[in-house]
């Protein structure tokens, strides 16, 4: 990734992602025609970071699902990504909370 291909505010946040997650994200942005770095705004990357703290595997799985999804009809990609990742994060937190309660 060229240094100037990601906005400065997002670059700082991207550095918090685990290297494996960042590399997978890089690969998906490169291979998916409807995804661009600009779609990963601070809000999306924040949710990605929170999800990565809980489970790298969930982030990787979600990124792979994104790659296999037809995104051509998505009107505003950052909102779509944020909602999708937040749903996964909420589900993961609920699952962990249920495990702690039993």
């Amino acid at each position: 990734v060229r240094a100037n291909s990601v906005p400065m505010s997002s670059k700082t946040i991207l550095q918090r992602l685990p290297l494996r997650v960042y590399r997978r994200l890089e690969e998906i942005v490169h291979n998916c025609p409807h995804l661009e770095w600009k779609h990963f705004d601070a809000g999306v990357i924040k949710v990605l970071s929170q999800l990565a703290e809980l489970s790298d595997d969930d982030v990787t799985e979600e990124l792979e699902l994104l790659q296999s999804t037809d995104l051509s009809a998505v009107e505003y990609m950052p909102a779509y990504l944020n909602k999708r990742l937040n749903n996964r994060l909420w589900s993961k937190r609920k699952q962990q909370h249920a495990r702690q309660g039993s």
Side-chain angles (χ1 to χ4, degrees):
V1 174
R2 293 186 315 266
N4 63 357
S5 65
V6 181
M8 192 54 161
S9 61
S10 296
K11 266 182 18 181
T12 305
I13 300 169
L14 274 171
Q15 292 171 350
R16 292 189 217 156
L17 290 174
L19 184 59
R20 182 173 84 109
V21 172
Y22 179 76
R23 290 258 161 85
R24 189 69 185 116
L25 179 61
E26 207 175 29
E27 184 182 318
I28 287 169
V29 170
H30 178 74
N31 293 328
C32 188
H34 300 290
L35 281 179
E36 298 176 28
W37 283 111
K38 68 181 181 183
H39 296 142
F40 293 86
D41 64 10
V44 172
I45 295 171
K46 181 179 178 186
V47 176
L48 261 177
S49 297
Q50 290 173 346
L51 187 55
E53 285 176 19
L54 296 177
S55 170
D56 284 6
D57 292 335
D58 277 300
V59 175
T60 303
E61 183 180 328
E62 194 61 39
L63 292 174
E64 287 169 1
L65 287 170
L66 265 176
Q67 190 172 10
S68 63
T69 301
D70 178 11
L71 301 172
S72 61
V74 175
E75 289 185 33
Y76 186 64
M77 191 64 71
Y80 173 81
L81 293 172
N82 204 336
K83 182 176 182 178
R84 186 171 174 147
L85 292 166
N86 260 317
N87 285 343
R88 175 66 76 116
L89 179 62
W90 181 83
S91 174
K92 189 70 180 176
R93 284 180 175 160
K94 186 176 177 183
Q95 189 180 60
Q96 286 188 335
H97 184 70
R99 268 194 229 130
Q100 290 172 352
S102 51

